[in-house]
Amino acid sequence: MFETMKRTLDARALAGPDTPVLLMVSGGSDSTAMAYLAADLREEDAIGPVAMLHVNHRLRGEDADADAAFAGEVAGALGIPFFLCEIDVAGMAARSHDNVEAVARRERYLAANEALTSLCQHEACPLADGRIFTAHTADDRIENFYMRSIVGTGPGGFRSMRYQNGPVVRPLLDATREELRNYLVQRERDGKPVVCDADGNLWREDATNAHTDRFRAYVRSEVVPAAKAWNEAMPASLVRTMNLIADEDDMLEDLAGQAWDETVEPVGEDASGSEGFVLLPPFGAVARPLQRRVVLRGLKAMLGADTRIDAASVAAALAGFADGAPQGGYTANIQGDLAVSANKHGVRVEPMAAFRARRKKDR
């Protein structure tokens, strides 16, 4: 596992000897294994200074407190600085009427960025050099693949998880959960430092993982085992397939970026298009797969990177072109209360309020 994690970091240039690393550790098998492996990598000077963060979402009472205590003991055994953050996720979700899991994820990464900032300041390292390690595995990636297969996704969605997304790095995507658990057991047998909970377990088990009323848990317990029954080598073969998809997705994203630069005019001063964008007449000659990606890029800039963009919204923007040319007089209202309008100068996407103000002014 040490070589697997190091190979992933090196091959993809995810971290190096001077990289400050914040570990997000829940206490489960995957993140506990990552903590031990990261400590060994630090000893080998393969990564820079290391700290650990545990976020207690206060959703599971005494079990959540025990998870936090376990994570703290792991950090102590490894001599790693430990950040503990407690968040009343249920209360926040009730007040905001948001999904509990979405709130938990948002707050968890906010805490991680704050902890990484503190680590970098303490080590006198540029924040841009810092990385947040999460313990997502090949199993998580495979589950995402099947979840997206069921609900639908764009072609790039089938790459599933990225090895790196901004400062967030997933160094265990080439390892399975079973391999990591075997590593923990073997580590104990080899007499290396390990921590056990009150029941003698090498990691904490989240009982909610066994519930099949949640989509991911259903895919984990029902869909993936059925796929493995047909092909025992499915995990390795599917990871290879997702990496091939990722390579092609990266290439298409680069081409879409070029198409954006050459055929799109951002509204306002923000070059990202956050205030709106105009698809210029030459956009009509761009290949349709790249057109979709260009529009998706613009809509995410306006609505937020984490927003799930409706396929209907992309199609409505593209419908402003016909036979490769803007269709004057075309209008549409899409998600986020955005207006799409076309004239001979191109197809414009902007907030509905801005569209109405322009029309009123023109009158």
Side-chain angles (χ1 to χ4, degrees):
M1 279 297 93
F2 177 87
E3 291 302 326
T4 296
M5 184 167 168
K6 187 174 186 302
R7 185 167 55 249
T8 299
L9 292 173
D10 292 344
R12 299 179 181 277
L14 301 175
D18 299 321
T19 304
V21 173
L22 178 75
L23 309 173
M24 296 184 72
V25 177
S26 67
S29 59
D30 304 341
S31 63
T32 299
M34 180 180 70
Y36 293 136
L37 289 165
D40 290 344
L41 286 167
R42 178 69 187 100
E43 287 298 315
E44 296 288 331
D45 291 323
I47 57 176
V50 175
M52 183 188 299
L53 167 69
H54 176 86
V55 179
N56 183 348
H57 298 128
R58 296 172 59 184
L59 292 172
R60 296 168 44 245
E62 293 181 357
D63 283 339
D65 294 336
D67 291 348
F70 177 81
E73 290 179 20
V74 172
L78 296 173
I80 296 175
F82 183 62
F83 295 93
L84 174 62
C85 179
E86 293 191 2
I87 303 171
D88 180 12
V89 169
M92 292 183 69
R95 288 190 295 273
S96 64
H97 305 290
D98 289 333
N99 176 274
V100 170
E101 292 183 0
V103 171
R105 183 182 185 281
R106 182 189 70 222
E107 294 300 318
R108 188 163 60 245
Y109 280 98
L110 284 173
N113 279 286
E114 290 180 4
L116 179 63
T117 299
S118 178
L119 170 63
C120 289
Q121 288 176 343
H122 183 269
E123 298 293 337
C125 297
L127 179 58
D129 292 348
R131 296 292 180 265
I132 298 168
F133 278 17
T134 67
H136 295 101
T137 67
D139 297 78
D140 296 305
R141 197 178 180 194
I142 288 167
E143 289 162 10
N144 270 14
F145 179 90
Y146 282 114
M147 291 167 69
R148 292 175 179 180
S149 300
I150 292 170
V151 302
T153 184
F158 285 118
R159 71 184 295 161
S160 193
M161 295 179 171
R162 295 175 180 265
Y163 286 87
Q164 181 173 358
N165 187 12
V168 177
V169 166
R170 302 180 177 98
L172 297 178
L173 282 188
D174 294 327
T176 67
R177 186 169 295 115
E178 181 179 8
E179 289 173 335
L180 290 166
R181 291 184 174 187
N182 290 340
Y183 159 78
L184 290 172
V185 172
Q186 189 61 49
R187 183 181 177 90
E188 182 182 39
R189 289 174 180 169
D190 292 342
K192 294 182 178 180
V194 294
V195 171
C196 295
D197 70 2
D199 297 320
N201 299 312
L202 291 168
W203 63 83
R204 296 284 299 168
E205 197 69 64
D206 185 347
T208 60
N209 287 337
H211 296 169
T212 55
D213 56 342
R214 293 182 178 179
F215 189 21
R216 179 177 293 277
Y218 167 75
V219 169
R220 177 178 298 174
S221 62
E222 302 291 337
V223 177
V224 172
K228 286 182 179 178
W230 279 97
N231 179 14
E232 291 183 358
M234 181 275 288
S237 63
L238 187 51
V239 166
R240 285 195 298 272
T241 298
M242 288 187 287
N243 283 340
L244 290 173
I245 293 172
D247 288 343
E248 296 191 3
D249 185 50
D250 288 340
M251 180 189 72
L252 289 171
E253 279 299 292
D254 287 343
L255 292 174
Q258 294 175 26
W260 175 277
D261 293 338
E262 296 169 359
T263 66
V264 177
E265 182 179 277
V267 173
E269 298 181 358
D270 186 354
S272 73
S274 63
E275 300 174 54
F277 56 95
V278 179
L279 306 172
L280 301 172
F283 178 83
V286 174
R288 182 52 62 112
L290 295 181
Q291 286 183 338
R292 293 193 190 98
R293 287 172 179 262
V294 169
V295 171
L296 183 63
R297 170 177 170 169
L299 293 179
K300 280 187 172 291
M302 296 186 72
L303 300 177
D306 294 330
T307 302
R308 183 180 177 85
I309 306 299
D310 297 338
S313 296
V314 176
L318 295 178
F321 282 82
D323 299 322
Q327 298 302 295
Y330 173 82
T331 60
N333 186 355
I334 61 175
Q335 76 180 101
D337 200 24
L338 301 181
V340 180
S341 58
N343 58 31
K344 64 181 181 180
H345 301 295
V347 175
R348 189 182 187 97
V349 181
E350 61 189 330
M352 184 59 71
F355 170 71
R356 288 172 177 160
R358 280 197 311 106
R359 293 195 65 177
K360 184 177 181 180
K361 183 178 179 180
D362 291 341
R363 289 173 185 172

